[in-house]
Amino acid sequence: MSVRERSPRHRPWSVYRANTFDLSSEMLGLTLAGNSQDPDEPVLEFSVACSELITPALDRKPNSFVAVSVTTPPQAFWTKHAQTEIIEGTSNPIFLSSIAFFQDSLINQQTQVKLSVYDVKDRSQGTMYLLGSAMFPVKELLQEKQHRLHLMLRSAENERVGNITIIAWQMEEKRDQRAPVPRLPDTINGRMVLPVDESLTESLGIRAKYASLCKDTLLKSVFGGTMSRMYRFPTTDGNHLRILEQMAESVLSLNIPRQFVKLLLEEDAARVCELEELGELSPCWESLRRQIVTQYQTIILTYQETLTDLHQYKGPSFKASNLKAEKKLEFMPTNLHIQRMRVQDESGSDHTYDIVTIGAPAAHCQGFKNSGLRKLIHKFEEAKKHSAVSSSQSIVYIPQDIVRAKEIIAHINTLKTQVSYYAERLSRAAKDRSANGLERTLAILADKTRQLVTVCDCKLLANAIQALNAARPEYIASKASPTAGDVDQVMLRNDQDTLVAKWTGKNSRSSLHVNWHEEEWEKVWLNVDKSLECIIQRVDKLLQKDRLQSDSCEDVFQCDLSSSSKKGNLESRAYWINPGCMEETNSSSSSPSPSSSPALSACHSPCDTREWSEALYPLLTTLTECVAMMSDKAKKSMVFLLMQDTAPTIAMDLSLQYRRDVVFCQTLTALICGFIIKLRNCLRDDGFLRQLYTIGLLAQFESLLSTYGEELAMLEDMSVGILDLRNVTFKVTQATSSSSMDMLPVITGNRDGFNVRIPLPGTMFDALPREIQNGMLLRVQPVLFNVGINEQQTLAEKFGDTSLQEIINMESLARLNSYYEQFKEVLPEDCLPRSRSQTCLPELLRFLGQNVHVRKNKNVDILWQAAEICRRLNGVRFTSCKSAKDRTAMSVTLEQCLILQHEHGMAPQVFTQALDCMRSEGCRRENTMKNVGCRKYAFNTLQLKAFPKHYRPPEGTYGKVET
């Protein structure tokens, strides 16, 4: 009897058990190899179904699964290839997981396939026995007209124990027109090559959007070790969904920490150099500097050892969960993988869903006895306030001053480099006598120079310069102001073990802006401004003469001092400080003489008989020297300011910073993986790309950590690491070559802000909008939602404290709402992906808000709604638990099945079976093997009683294992 004859074809869906739905004849066919448009297409895919299974105990129906083994002559042994999920309590099981042979399977027509059906007596203990088996050659399946085989299952005693049906699938076959297989497949070099069916290339436009983890030029440079599983799930309309589930690790797990630690090492080494370059300080300040430098040298040594360990590491490109506390690998993220689900249906639609899974970014090696980053940062801030109150320093800088000081240093470093660069370009343009080049470059040089002058013209900088002067050994104890009627004094006592800098006099500190200290500093940046004006006038004259094409030497270039200053009349305020000897010229005269002011005397020299470069060279030299002098003085004063601020709490500061670095590095690595795969998937999605460069990328982290014990401290670490991602920007560039190394991202910057450069192959880069091609910095908006689901969360809810989870969720809700408000203000709704959901985004956000504010134990609706909102807003999804192995597996498989049901019409009758199928035979089960060498989730029965129902794995897939 055939399967068709045994199956009650005309009963409605509602009367079928989830594990005994019927196979429709429209779902038959054969997958064909050689499809260059779809590199993930398997060479051969088939499904299996059993019927009339007989067990020795007639009163018991079997719990069966099928194990598939293969052998290809001349190989003389069987190799296990795959197995189906277990279906309980039926003699006629139809399995959802299909058997796929991909292009690296090395099968051919002579390959023998053995199907062994097992009856599982006790899933929790793994007790089973072989019910029966059947064999067939691949050639027989291909030659069969409908690519369907009906085989008899025979026991070890050669007794009939049932039947098994094998059905080969064809991808994207039209329901009303099945293309026949015209001839037997050919074989080249022993490999089976099947003819390409035209129906497979019809949706080329859709397929072009799909990027294979294994074959795509960009993705294969970043991801590797890809595992694949395939399923066939029925839909509510009687068709089927073809599911490709994949899991891949990333070389970035090691590459990013190497780059990141190197940057930290360079940043801290530069900090030490800056402190050393402050010059000679009085004894008390010198002692303080030595203490700070010693602390930095200790942390630098730690970074050097870490960098050496990372370069010497030769293991797999992911850190297993049982190594999360390994000191040498603490900057590497734990168990970082990309989890992908690709969904195709008979209408030709093709959708890909990616989730980055990562063990909670936390400083496992440093432990959690003293709590996590949130509390540690709070303690540090309190200690800093206390030290400021008890400090003997009369100058106490507020936090805004410290932030501003760091910004000034960064701006000075950047602008000084840019001024030097454009001064050199201006010199080259003059040498080439390029009028256009001269004009364009001068405009940029003037803009950068004026930006630098603006940065240096601030009260904070002037005060810091005065404080640094007061810390010099040769500082005169008191000095009168040349402009003040009353006498002000600045006194520094360094003969005692104290650091006191006091301003005395009637005008006190508020008079600094008019005393001689600020005027001395003003001379420096005014000369930069004056030097620039001379260059502008000289270039204007050169260009004017060039346009007139005059050979006359009658014109003599003069500097108009009356218009060279941005601060009124400079005739009475023009200064020049010689870079060589730092001597001040006489500033009281109405007009400086050429002999006393190089910046001005250069303006008076004739240029009509000289080349352009000779005319501009002395002026450009003067400008760069003035800029160097101003930048050096300003930077040193800011370094001294920061030294004063960090001195009292330097040990605590660096210890906290190290922990923060460890956590941030793990988080950053995951973010970069998510950004790359999202960008590649949406390379031709104009709406997403516009959203990306307009309001940035939404990065939504889901956490399943409890708020009890060590996991509470892990959550504190993780929340800070995710918030720090706001200081990350991305820039997309064109790769210099197609080699894998040139496709890897490059990190630049420092702790105040990191930029990640993402190289793309030329063809991909050309597909980007002009804004991204031109180097626009792309921002990130990170949000974190946490709901603990295990037995420890039960303890937290009954006896502990869940306030941290509530605060994190409310903070993230506010940022998520803000992101959506930004979207509505500047972007149209058609930038977002389409959804079958009847709930609009504002409603979803309202529901999420209600769930976040309501006090409900283990309210996993928060996670489901946040994940859906993220997908609907073109965001990147991240899922974490302690090790990204067990609870994470439950979460991502549940999310995949929810997507299939809500977005792709998977029949609700098979939801539970599909969920169990993915958890028992899917990629996440293999993730447990990769991490701890055992294909079991680390749960026990007692634990699972505390889990929400949908987060419990099927029997036989869990047990006591090392985590």
Side-chain angles (χ1 to χ4, degrees):
M1 181 182 288
S2 69
V3 171
R4 181 182 297 273
E5 293 170 336
R6 287 194 303 270
S7 300
R9 289 285 297 146
H10 303 292
R11 285 187 293 172
W13 270 104
S14 58
V15 303
Y16 285 95
R17 286 186 57 188
N19 55 2
T20 57
F21 66 88
D22 189 38
L23 297 172
S24 65
S25 59
E26 290 86 356
M27 294 160 62
L28 303 179
L30 177 67
T31 284
L32 305 178
N35 181 8
S36 60
Q37 306 301 331
D38 193 347
D40 285 334
E41 188 79 12
V43 171
L44 177 67
E45 181 194 359
F46 61 82
S47 292
V48 293
C50 297
S51 61
E52 300 177 358
L53 295 180
I54 301 172
T55 60
L58 298 179
D59 59 338
R60 175 182 167 275
K61 293 184 177 180
N63 306 321
S64 56
F65 73 91
V66 180
V68 180
S69 303
V70 296
T71 182
T72 302
Q75 181 177 303
F77 53 88
W78 293 95
T79 303
K80 184 176 179 179
H81 178 72
Q83 71 179 48
T84 67
E85 74 277 16
I86 299 173
I87 295 183
E88 296 182 336
T90 177
S91 299
N92 304 294
I94 300 177
F95 300 95
L96 295 183
S97 55
S98 60
I99 310 301
F101 294 87
F102 292 91
Q103 295 180 20
D104 58 356
S105 299
L106 299 178
I107 65 168
N108 58 35
Q109 294 184 46
Q110 283 68 46
T111 298
Q112 291 282 333
V113 181
K114 180 166 70 173
L115 308 173
S116 303
V117 180
Y118 288 86
D119 179 17
V120 182
K121 287 189 173 181
D122 189 338
R123 294 189 68 167
S124 61
Q125 299 297 323
T127 306
M128 67 184 75
Y129 69 96
L130 178 64
L131 194 61
S133 62
M135 289 188 295
F136 69 91
V138 170
K139 183 177 182 179
E140 183 179 343
L141 181 61
L142 297 177
Q143 288 178 324
E144 174 64 31
K145 184 177 181 181
Q146 291 187 316
H147 315 298
R148 174 193 295 216
L149 295 178
H150 305 278
L151 304 177
M152 185 180 296
L153 289 170
R154 294 196 173 273
S155 66
E157 293 77 23
N158 202 31
E159 296 180 356
R160 179 182 176 278
V161 292
N163 304 311
I164 189 166
T165 301
I166 304 97
I167 306 169
W169 295 99
Q170 176 172 319
M171 181 54 202
E172 283 192 6
E173 180 184 22
K174 291 185 176 180
R175 297 182 60 188
D176 57 346
Q177 182 182 351
R178 183 180 304 116
V181 178
R183 58 188 177 87
L184 196 63
D186 298 325
T187 301
I188 300 178
N189 296 330
R191 290 289 305 276
M192 181 171 58
V193 180
L194 300 172
V196 178
D197 189 279
E198 292 180 359
S199 66
L200 296 177
T201 62
E202 289 178 354
S203 52
L204 177 58
I206 295 176
R207 288 197 180 280
K209 297 179 182 179
Y210 174 74
S212 167
L213 289 173
C214 305
K215 305 293 184 181
D216 183 76
T217 306
L218 175 64
L219 297 186
K220 72 179 182 181
S221 301
V222 176
F223 301 103
T226 305
M227 295 182 176
S228 301
R229 297 289 184 270
M230 298 200 73
Y231 315 94
R232 296 278 176 162
F233 296 158
T235 60
T236 53
D237 59 3
N239 294 316
H240 73 281
L241 299 172
R242 178 180 187 261
I243 316 300
L244 172 64
E245 183 189 31
Q246 291 182 309
M247 182 183 70
E249 59 198 51
S250 175
V251 297
L252 300 187
S253 290
L254 188 60
N255 177 271
I256 296 302
R258 285 174 176 170
Q259 292 189 58
F260 183 75
V261 174
K262 185 180 178 183
L263 287 176
L264 299 181
L265 189 59
E266 292 171 352
E267 181 181 349
D268 288 346
R271 190 70 49 81
V272 171
C273 289
E274 290 170 351
L275 290 169
E276 297 288 5
E277 290 170 357
L278 282 178
E280 191 176 1
L281 300 175
S282 58
C284 55
W285 288 111
E286 180 61 31
S287 174
L288 199 65
R289 174 166 61 177
R290 293 267 62 86
Q291 293 176 24
I292 296 174
V293 168
T294 300
Q295 293 286 346
Y296 269 111
Q297 287 173 338
T298 301
I299 207 77
I300 285 171
L301 183 61
T302 304
Y303 286 128
Q304 287 173 336
E305 292 173 351
T306 300
L307 191 58
T308 301
D309 291 335
L310 289 172
H311 280 289
Q312 291 178 347
Y313 176 75
K314 302 299 181 186
S317 58
F318 81 104
K319 184 173 76 175
S321 62
N322 54 9
L323 297 175
K324 55 179 168 280
E326 176 64 40
K327 173 68 177 174
K328 295 181 179 180
L329 306 177
E330 63 179 334
F331 281 84
M332 289 180 64
T334 302
N335 193 20
L336 175 66
H337 284 81
I338 187 74
Q339 175 80 15
R340 165 168 285 192
M341 180 177 71
R342 183 183 180 190
V343 186
Q344 296 163 291
D345 61 27
E346 292 187 336
S347 68
S349 69
D350 193 337
H351 297 272
T352 302
Y353 303 90
D354 291 313
I355 306 173
V356 179
T357 60
I358 176 180
H364 294 276
C365 187
Q366 299 174 45
F368 305 100
K369 289 184 179 179
N370 297 319
S371 67
L373 275 173
R374 283 179 86 108
K375 285 184 180 176
L376 290 174
I377 291 172
H378 179 71
K379 291 178 183 177
F380 173 72
E381 290 172 348
E382 290 298 316
K384 204 168 183 65
K385 289 178 184 177
H386 179 73
S387 68
V389 171
S390 60
S391 174
S392 59
Q393 287 179 236
S394 65
I395 307 176
V396 177
Y397 295 100
I398 60 176
Q400 291 88 331
D401 288 341
I402 306 307
V403 173
R404 179 62 181 149
K406 292 179 179 179
E407 290 175 350
I408 288 174
I409 292 175
H411 289 155
I412 288 173
N413 288 336
T414 301
L415 291 169
K416 178 187 174 184
T417 303
Q418 290 175 340
V419 168
S420 299
Y421 171 73
Y422 287 109
E424 177 62 28
R425 281 189 57 178
L426 190 68
S427 179
R428 288 202 302 268
K431 187 176 181 180
D432 297 339
R433 293 187 67 87
S434 169
N436 289 336
L438 205 65
E439 206 165 11
R440 288 196 305 268
T441 307
L442 177 62
I444 301 174
L445 176 64
D447 178 58
K448 299 299 180 185
T449 305
R450 286 167 181 153
Q451 286 183 40
L452 183 59
V453 170
T454 302
V455 168
C456 292
D457 179 19
C458 71
K459 176 87 176 290
L460 179 66
L461 198 50
N463 290 349
I465 288 173
Q466 195 281 335
L468 178 58
N469 288 336
R472 302 295 185 192
E474 68 275 8
Y475 183 76
I476 302 173
S478 63
K479 191 173 182 70
S481 169
T483 59
D486 298 307
V487 175
D488 287 353
Q489 292 183 335
V490 182
M491 302 182 65
L492 176 71
R493 296 208 318 269
N494 56 23
D495 54 336
Q496 304 174 21
D497 190 22
T498 58
L499 300 172
V500 181
K502 293 183 178 178
W503 280 261
T504 62
K506 295 181 180 179
N507 294 329
S508 70
R509 283 187 62 193
S510 63
S511 65
L512 274 176
H513 67 286
V514 294
N515 67 22
W516 70 273
H517 301 292
E518 183 164 319
E519 289 189 4
E520 184 182 63
W521 167 239
E522 193 171 332
K523 299 174 200 175
V524 178
W525 59 258
L526 279 177
N527 275 279
V528 173
D529 204 29
K530 289 151 65 71
S531 300
L532 175 64
E533 291 299 328
C534 286
I535 293 173
I536 291 172
Q537 293 184 41
R538 178 61 60 86
V539 170
D540 285 344
K541 192 68 175 180
L542 291 172
L543 293 175
Q544 183 181 359
K545 287 190 175 185
D546 184 62
R547 284 191 292 266
L548 296 174
Q549 295 182 351
S550 173
D551 295 328
S552 173
C553 295
E554 297 174 358
D555 294 333
V556 178
F557 187 78
Q558 298 291 333
C559 264
D560 184 6
L561 294 178
S562 62
S563 63
S564 65
S565 172
K566 65 175 183 174
K567 290 196 168 187
N569 184 5
L570 285 181
E571 270 108 2
S572 61
R573 301 185 63 194
Y575 300 92
W576 169 251
I577 299 178
N578 190 309
C581 61
M582 300 289 290
E583 292 179 356
E584 182 184 340
T585 63
N586 182 7
S587 61
S588 60
S589 61
S590 61
S591 177
S593 65
S595 62
S596 65
S597 180
L600 303 183
S601 63
C603 296
H604 292 273
S605 55
C607 65
D608 50 346
T609 58
R610 299 180 181 180
E611 293 292 331
W612 286 8
S613 59
E614 292 176 352
L616 289 179
Y617 178 77
L619 295 178
L620 291 172
T621 302
T622 299
L623 176 66
T624 53
E625 287 175 347
C626 288
V627 165
M629 182 195 311
M630 179 181 70
S631 302
D632 180 66
K633 197 172 185 68
K635 184 176 176 182
K636 284 181 178 178
S637 67
M638 291 293 95
V639 170
F640 184 68
L641 184 154
L642 294 176
M643 186 183 91
Q644 296 174 71
D645 178 70
T646 58
T649 54
I650 184 63
M652 190 177 183
D653 188 3
L654 292 184
S655 174
L656 179 63
Q657 186 61 67
Y658 184 82
R659 186 183 189 100
R660 199 166 185 168
D661 290 340
V662 169
V663 175
F664 178 73
C665 183
Q666 298 174 24
T667 316
L668 176 64
T669 306
L671 175 67
I672 295 173
C673 287
F675 182 92
I676 290 174
I677 202 160
K678 182 67 176 181
L679 179 65
R680 179 61 189 92
N681 288 345
C682 301
L683 204 58
R684 303 187 186 280
D685 185 342
D686 294 335
F688 165 77
L689 295 173
R690 182 180 173 189
Q691 179 182 346
L692 179 62
Y693 69 73
T694 304
I695 62 173
L697 179 70
L698 177 65
Q700 190 255 322
F701 288 78
E702 171 185 310
S703 169
L704 300 159
L705 293 173
S706 69
T707 55
Y708 189 84
E710 287 191 348
E711 290 197 4
L712 177 62
M714 292 178 203
L715 182 57
E716 289 185 14
D717 278 359
M718 182 178 181
S719 63
V720 173
I722 290 171
L723 275 179
D724 284 345
L725 293 178
R726 292 180 295 182
N727 295 328
V728 177
T729 56
F730 288 86
K731 182 179 180 180
V732 184
T733 62
Q734 185 167 347
T736 55
S737 76
S738 58
S739 70
S740 294
M741 289 303 297
D742 289 333
M743 297 289 178
L744 295 179
V746 178
I747 311 175
T748 56
N750 54 43
R751 293 181 180 94
D752 294 323
F754 289 95
N755 177 257
V756 184
R757 191 168 72 247
I758 306 294
L760 292 186
T763 52
M764 297 183 192
F765 185 78
D766 292 341
L768 295 171
R770 188 65 58 190
E771 290 83 354
I772 298 179
Q773 287 186 6
N774 289 340
M776 180 178 284
L777 296 183
L778 310 173
R779 296 168 291 153
V780 177
Q781 177 61 277
V783 294
L784 165 65
F785 290 93
N786 183 86
V787 176
I789 63 171
N790 66 0
E791 77 287 354
Q792 288 188 322
Q793 186 63 23
T794 303
L795 295 175
E797 291 164 348
K798 289 186 177 181
F799 311 110
D801 183 12
T802 62
S803 60
L804 176 62
Q805 175 174 288
E806 293 161 7
I807 291 170
I808 288 173
N809 290 345
M810 285 190 282
E811 290 174 348
S812 293
L813 175 65
R815 289 197 300 275
L816 190 59
N817 278 317
S818 174
Y819 182 85
Y820 182 58
E821 289 301 319
Q822 290 180 57
F823 177 91
K824 289 194 299 182
E825 287 177 8
V826 295
L827 293 168
E829 288 290 332
D830 58 9
C831 284
L832 300 178
R834 294 179 181 178
S835 172
R836 291 179 57 171
S837 173
Q838 299 299 312
T839 309
C840 63
L841 263 172
E843 280 292 289
L844 266 178
L845 283 163
R846 187 174 66 82
F847 293 152
L848 177 61
Q850 292 173 352
N851 279 307
V852 165
H853 287 96
V854 73
R855 295 186 64 87
K856 179 182 176 182
N857 293 343
K858 297 179 182 174
N859 189 1
V860 292
D861 284 348
I862 292 174
L863 303 181
W864 301 352
Q865 289 166 357
E868 182 176 355
I869 291 169
C870 173
R871 291 191 300 270
R872 299 269 293 271
L873 282 174
N874 274 322
V876 182
R877 286 275 297 111
F878 302 83
T879 298
S880 293
C881 62
K882 183 177 180 180
S883 61
K885 179 172 60 69
D886 307 305
R887 280 169 285 177
T888 295
M890 301 302 103
S891 176
V892 296
T893 49
L894 175 59
E895 182 171 346
Q896 288 176 171
C897 286
L898 288 172
I899 291 171
L900 292 173
Q901 181 169 300
H902 296 156
E903 297 292 341
H904 299 281
M906 183 179 74
Q909 296 88 341
V910 298
F911 182 89
T912 301
Q913 185 185 356
L915 188 58
D916 287 349
C917 178
M918 284 185 170
R919 288 171 175 174
S920 63
E921 304 307 323
C923 295
R924 300 314 298 190
R925 185 88 179 269
E926 299 305 318
N927 184 264
T928 64
M929 174 64 77
K930 287 182 68 173
N931 279 272
V932 296
C934 178
R935 293 182 77 250
K936 285 187 178 293
Y937 302 113
F939 303 131
N940 59 51
T941 304
L942 185 61
Q943 280 179 306
L944 291 176
K945 288 180 179 179
F947 276 48
K949 179 182 177 182
H950 289 302
Y951 290 83
R952 300 172 187 173
E955 282 283 340
T957 62
Y958 57 87
K960 186 177 180 181
V961 294
E962 181 186 3
T963 60

